[in-house]
Amino acid sequence: MRHKILVTGGTGYIGSHTTVQLQQAGFDVVIIDNLSNSRREVLDGIEAITGIRPEFVEGDCTDIETLRRLFREHPGIDGIINFAASKAVGESVHKPILYYRNNLGTLLNLLECMPEFGVKGIVFSSSCTVYGEPDKNPIDESAPIKAATSPYGNTKQISEEIIRDVITSGAPVKSILLRYFNPIGAHPSAKIGELPLGVPQNLVPYVTQTAAGIRKELTVFGDDYDTPDGTCIRDFIDVNDLAKAHVIAMKRMLDNPDGEKLEVFNLGTGRGLSVLELINAFEEASGVKLNYRIGPRREGDIEKIWANPEKANTVLGWKAETPIRDTMASAWRWQLTLSNPNEKQPS
Ligand code: UD1
């Protein structure tokens, strides 16, 4: 029988790429999204890629009655992938209540509904931010959780604890926590990608918007870190690789009723790339020279962090395999599509 999956935040960046992978793997998908940070047209992009339009409910997961109605109207949902969350680190410092309400309220409501409607498993989007500044790299799942440096990061830590406590209480649900490193890029078709509203906070959308002439220049936040070229190091992972891991995690939960009730995996490439190395990769992939300057450090930035993804590699049988050049090329194709929606881009 085909599994039916609820994808919360499914019109968002990672949610839309995961919906594509789920549909291509034969899952039926119901999306709920309040469109606070995404657009309805994303559904057209998903349909153009897969030939299937996912069921869509416009609604807010912080309202439990909206969720109950959804489960009643879409019976037979087996699993949930929870992407519905606010994710801007800086904004969370200024609007902590919004972040705790959105991110924790959504999770609590989903966990409350799961036994009521017989939903067996939930995949949760966590983040490498739970590790803080690592004592050593690459970092594996046994590394200590450090005090959060922002309300956003704290919601990820608390969410992991909430899920752990609910499972310990004997609730008939399973969960896989996925700790993402830095997801970047777009679908190779350039029909879906990242849609930052306003000025992008993250590196890659800022890079592509600068290259497209929407922003004057990119500021590299600091070149005096203790790294080979002085800029911060991250583990940039292609969003399509990341999306595939969710499909595997969901199958693992649903197909092994006697399997572990709670598991956690790092999702990264295992390779650290500096900000300057990423810019070089972009310039090579796009053929565009990027206008950037070195500026002061950004408050709260981690100096260097990259994953040890061995557990995901061996236990899930999953590996991030897209070369950085291809990822940067997809990010650029997507930017060109956004800038010139009527022009067909080279594939
Ligand atoms: C941050 C969060 C991460 C969260 C993600 C989602 C931390 C430690 N990390 O990732 O948990 O999931 O945001 O939004 O809180 N940079 C520039 N110029 C720019 C933008 C970025 O130089 O204009 C640099 C940053 O200083 C950093 C790197 O690029 O070194 C990556 O930054 P960004 O894309 O914002 O991601 P993180 O801060 O790693």
Side-chain angles (χ1 to χ4, degrees), residues 145-164:
I145 302 298
K146 300 260 181 80
T149 52
S150 71
Y152 160 78
N154 209 19
T155 66
K156 293 297 174 193
Q157 294 194 5
I158 297 172
S159 295
E160 289 199 0
E161 287 169 11
I162 290 173
I163 292 172
R164 196 163 284 125

Side-chain angles (χ1 to χ4, degrees), residues 87 127 129 152 182 202-203 219-221 232 234 298 301:
K87 62 159 192 174
S127 164
T129 193
Y152 160 78
N182 286 57
N202 294 114
L203 179 60
T219 304
V220 173
F221 296 139
C232 292
R234 294 289 182 274
R298 180 171 72 176
D301 265 339

Side-chain angles (χ1 to χ4, degrees), residues 16 21 27 52 72 82 89 91 110 182 188 190 193 246 325 342:
S16 56
Q21 296 297 331
F27 289 87
I52 306 165
R72 278 195 298 272
N82 181 26
V89 177
E91 184 188 46
L110 291 171
N182 286 57
H246 293 73
R325 197 192 162 96
N342 298 323

Side-chain angles (χ1 to χ4, degrees), residues 17 21 151 157 170 175 189 240 249 260 277 285 331:
H17 290 80
Q21 296 297 331
Q157 294 194 5
S175 184
S189 67
N240 303 287
E260 301 269 337
E277 285 173 326

Side-chain angles (χ1 to χ4, degrees), residues 83-132:
F83 296 108
S86 305
K87 62 159 192 174
V89 177
E91 184 188 46
S92 78
V93 175
H94 302 290
K95 299 180 181 170
I97 294 176
L98 176 82
Y99 274 67
Y100 287 111
R101 201 190 296 286
N102 275 354
N103 296 6
L104 302 183
T106 290
L107 179 64
L108 290 170
N109 286 345
L110 291 171
L111 290 169
E112 193 166 342
C113 285
M114 287 176 73
E116 287 176 24
F117 294 92
V119 184
K120 298 174 198 76
I122 180 166
V123 175
F124 179 72
S125 307
S126 190
S127 164
C128 67
T129 193
V130 301
Y131 299 122

